[in-house]
Amino acid sequence: MKIWKSHRKIIFSAESSVTIPEVAFIIDSCRSSEVYWDGNRKCEFCGLMWVSKSQAEQRRGKTGWTCDGEIYRLVTRSFFSDLEDYECPAMLRLLLQQQILLICCAELEAIDDPRVLLQKALDPPDPDVVQNALDLLVHMGLLQISHRGRLEPTFYGRLLASFPLSFDASLLMIKFGEVGLLHEGILLAVLMDTQPLPIIHSFGERDLFAKYLDSYFSRDTSKPTIGPLKEVILMANLCAFKFWQRIFKDKYRTKHLNQVLQFDDMKATEMVLETEEEWCFFHNLRQPSLNHVAEIYEDVLSSLHRFRPNFLGASKGFPSYYYPCDFQHKCLLECRPNEDEDEDAAGLDDEELESSADTRECVATPFVTPNDFQTKNVADKLTAVVKEIKAHYFGLAPGDQPQSSSESRFSVNKCGKLCRHFLKGSCNRGSNCSFSHSFQAKRPMCRFFSSLQGCRNGDSCSFSHGLGTSFSSVTKPSSCIPENDDGDPALLIRLFPVADYGKILILDDTNFHFTSNIARSYDPFRMVATTHLLESSISDPSLTDVKIMWGLHHPYQTIIGKSAESQVLWMSVKCVLWFPDFEICGYGKNLEGQGRLMKNFFEYLAIRLLADALCEVAVVLTMNNLRFSELQVEKLGRSSFFFLTKSLPFAEQSYGELSDVIPTKKPMEVSKPISYVFRMYPPADIEPDDFQAAIRKCLHDVE
């Protein structure tokens, strides 16, 4: 940090391990934001607490030691002397369900019972708290009691413990996966744990933050809101992430494909990265936060591919930000003069003064409307899933309804809904009020009880803590179980074209191992195979009618193609298959080389399909699921507009065994061959004719 002798720099800072040099004055509020388990809200809550004396001394840093300075604490001396000497350990403030689950997943012989281990800590937690956490994990199906009487994690428990997310975020993500919204669930879960969030929230600017939220998640004021502010903030940031992907990242991917065949994309990439920061600023977004969410998203997706729960195979990777397909946004930048321009001008050079004279922002709002990106459907699911998670914490089964202490004193009759203003003593309508003024009436629902925020009043709340009539329809035991291991050979054949509709192309099948087996179940006249081997005689009778293209190195020559024969071939291809063999390709254990090969495959294939308008071609990639996860192949495909639409176990007994066998490192992880089905969905808002013309020109220049 640059220090100006002619300027006074004021720094607002939370606690951190960063030491700022030459700080002359420190003002300490003696308050700290800490996370603790709130029994009333039934969730972890971040609240303001008084610091301990050790924390206050830590905040002082080196001021007064290495340089002259003073510290001002905004409490009285007597109050400060009554503060605790040391802060309360986190182990004593949390429910510990995630920590106990991780202990049970450790599989250490020395840890027979997490209750015994935790009591050996320097500050052991209350045994009742530990037992409550264990009961919760068993109730939710994350732990089970083995035949030896030990607590052991289920598949559901091990899967949840593998995510780099908090406990509630992991639960939410899996619940979304079970209802067919896996990718939205992952993003919402990552956003729950992300600070700061993508949408800019300046200190003290509450009204401005509300304006930013409305530009991404516009709420219909004539209808009930989705829920308390926390859910609204989550949905707005989810829409902001999708908006960034659709408007900015898609343009970057398009420009990158234009640069691939020119072999000089470094300069273009650097230019795009510079404009990304500006674009985010114009749309009130934080670039580092968006990239962080994208990175954690890929890590969570990799964990899912390693365990392969039953809902993963049917999960569609087609992004909801392509709904509607005609969604467009044209930036309208407006320059607004800086109110503090004259005051801030001192000490700035001409260039800095010019850039600080105005602030530009996009005023083409709202950026996302309620009908874009399937927002309403996701918001409804979020409300239902949060309600279900809350029910788990209360130990409820479908149909059960908790009651507050004030509610239990009265029986519910048919007097209608109770007037909420009457409860507060503020109803001025008297007998003319359309709501009941009887304590025996049905109490209105507490809108905070079944939300992420939770109700801070607990049992003393005047409103009903029931979960509503729709609760029994959304709550059910988790169906998160391992995928069926049996590979059905008919499932792969169904992906192939029927009758004379087109051909299938098998890329780089060196010894025709898979081609010969598939030819026994499919029409060989509609099969084409490529190999880098030189032409030779074929002894296998099943390959007699298969068209073989010899001497083509993969992926450049097989996809880009130099011959006229190759050009004609691609026009008839309806399905592309590839069985990557990294040993034959010369990459062996070189993960970087394997990733580069996969990246080139998707890039070249995208160029070929876009140039010839063949976006309906299915791409089937068969490889070990652990290798797929390790290389983050789904991310590589997405960067070239290929989206994973389904995945299914590969029938090795019918079509041949894969050479890439990887041993599993963790219990309940699977290692098996999977056929991943990708389809190309280029954005509809790019100029198709101009783009295809540019791609064709690059393609012909190379050929």
Side-chain angles (χ1 to χ4, degrees), residues 428-445:
N428 55 12
R429 295 185 179 181
S431 59
N432 295 325
C433 182
S434 57
F435 294 91
S436 174
H437 283 192
S438 169
F439 281 105
Q440 294 182 333
K442 184 178 180 180
R443 293 173 176 264
M445 295 287 296

Side-chain angles (χ1 to χ4, degrees), residues 111-164:
I111 304 177
D112 186 62
D113 192 333
R115 290 166 289 199
V116 176
L117 177 68
L118 291 173
Q119 290 307 306
K120 294 180 180 180
L122 292 176
D123 295 289
D126 187 338
D128 291 339
V129 173
V130 178
Q131 187 59 51
N132 289 339
L134 286 170
D135 293 342
L136 174 66
L137 294 173
V138 172
H139 169 74
M140 298 175 70
L142 300 169
L143 293 179
Q144 62 184 2
I145 301 176
S146 68
H147 63 279
R148 296 180 295 173
R150 293 184 56 176
L151 286 167
E152 295 182 351
T154 60
F155 173 82
Y156 183 20
R158 288 196 181 277
L159 175 65
L160 189 142
S162 70
F163 300 132

